[in-house]
Amino acid sequence: MGLNDWDWRNNIQPAITNEKYYSPPYSIRAPSEGQSVYGFCKAPGTEKITNGRVEFVYNHNNTEWDESFGYLIGYIWFRAALALGSTTLPNDCYRVYIDLPAFQVVLVRDYHGSVAGSYRHGIYTDVWSQLDPLTWNWFRVTWWSVPDVGLVVRYEVKINNTWYKICGDFVGIPDYYSGYTYNRVGFAFTWVSGSNPPHIDNIKIYKAI
């Protein structure tokens, strides 16, 4: 997918750069220090992904994962009720991210622009300790509905070609928004002031059949 396959908040697009890349010839990063970038996919077939998966490869590009910069990484939106062409953030959605300072994975449900639910799981140290912040690491988020249970959300990382959970599954989360016209997927990343810019490449979106 190219940059034109995404709606960008406030029309701020990421920078295309060949400084680092996983797949030639380039990757993307925030355009300048201190900026964040938010994108929501509008490629055909991605407007309504009620149950699905996002994969991406991420290079933190700093010698330590946190370094007291307060990074929130791997920030993914799903079931975002956002019309095509919008340049704002969704009011009704789920979002999940890795909170490095807290060493937790956080899942949030937003309703009408306010937080309606927030859930946290501690990151598995034995898994995370195998990741190198200066190299490319594959992450993925999967979400699906289970009858009489609710929404299930799983966050994983690939190590030596095998996927491992980085925390416990979020199970029995209140299951909303599947009836909305749009269930879009989005992502965000930041170049925190005083640090090196993280890079993202090979974003892949899957829809459950």
Side-chain angles (χ1 to χ4, degrees):
M1 290 183 288
L3 296 185
N4 291 334
D5 291 314
W6 301 80
D7 288 326
W8 302 103
R9 184 193 183 197
N10 297 331
N11 292 312
I12 298 175
Q13 295 189 2
I16 296 175
T17 174
N18 60 6
E19 299 164 6
K20 293 179 181 291
Y21 51 79
Y22 183 83
S23 296
Y26 56 77
S27 65
I28 57 174
R29 61 164 174 78
S32 61
E33 188 172 349
Q35 274 196 311
S36 297
V37 176
Y38 306 80
F40 291 85
C41 192
K42 61 180 180 182
T46 66
E47 305 93 336
K48 176 81 172 182
I49 299 182
T50 302
N51 299 313
R53 170 178 290 163
V54 178
E55 294 181 5
F56 59 96
V57 62
Y58 175 82
N59 190 317
H60 195 56
N61 197 28
N62 287 276
T63 56
E64 301 292 340
W65 281 107
D66 183 22
E67 288 188 319
S68 300
F69 293 125
Y71 264 105
L72 308 178
I73 71 168
Y75 213 117
I76 298 295
W77 275 265
F78 59 93
R79 292 193 187 175
L82 191 67
L84 297 178
S86 298
T87 58
T88 60
L89 295 180
N91 289 321
D92 298 333
C93 60
Y94 294 89
R95 48 193 170 94
V96 63
Y97 57 89
I98 300 168
D99 183 339
L100 287 179
F103 205 59
Q104 295 175 327
V105 177
V106 182
L107 173 66
V108 176
R109 181 174 74 86
D110 290 328
Y111 179 66
H112 289 1
S114 298
V115 174
S118 181
Y119 315 88
R120 291 175 175 264
H121 283 325
I123 294 172
Y124 294 151
T125 303
D126 59 334
V127 174
W128 194 263
S129 63
Q130 298 181 64
L131 305 182
D132 183 349
L134 290 173
T135 62
W136 292 97
N137 296 283
W138 277 100
F139 293 89
R140 74 180 182 188
V141 176
T142 310
W143 62 96
W144 68 97
S145 298
V146 178
D148 302 321
V149 174
L151 183 67
V152 179
V153 181
R154 178 173 295 168
Y155 214 127
E156 297 170 284
V157 65
K158 185 186 284 187
I159 301 172
N160 296 326
N161 293 318
T162 300
W163 289 100
Y164 294 91
K165 298 180 188 181
I166 62 172
C167 68
D169 290 344
F170 296 90
V171 178
I173 304 301
D175 195 348
Y176 292 100
Y177 312 137
S178 61
Y180 283 38
T181 301
Y182 297 103
N183 278 178
R184 296 177 67 187
V185 171
F187 76 100
F189 57 95
T190 299
W191 180 358
V192 173
S193 296
S195 69
N196 297 322
H199 295 251
I200 293 178
D201 205 350
N202 286 32
I203 301 171
K204 302 177 181 181
I205 299 174
Y206 302 92
K207 182 177 182 179
I209 300 175

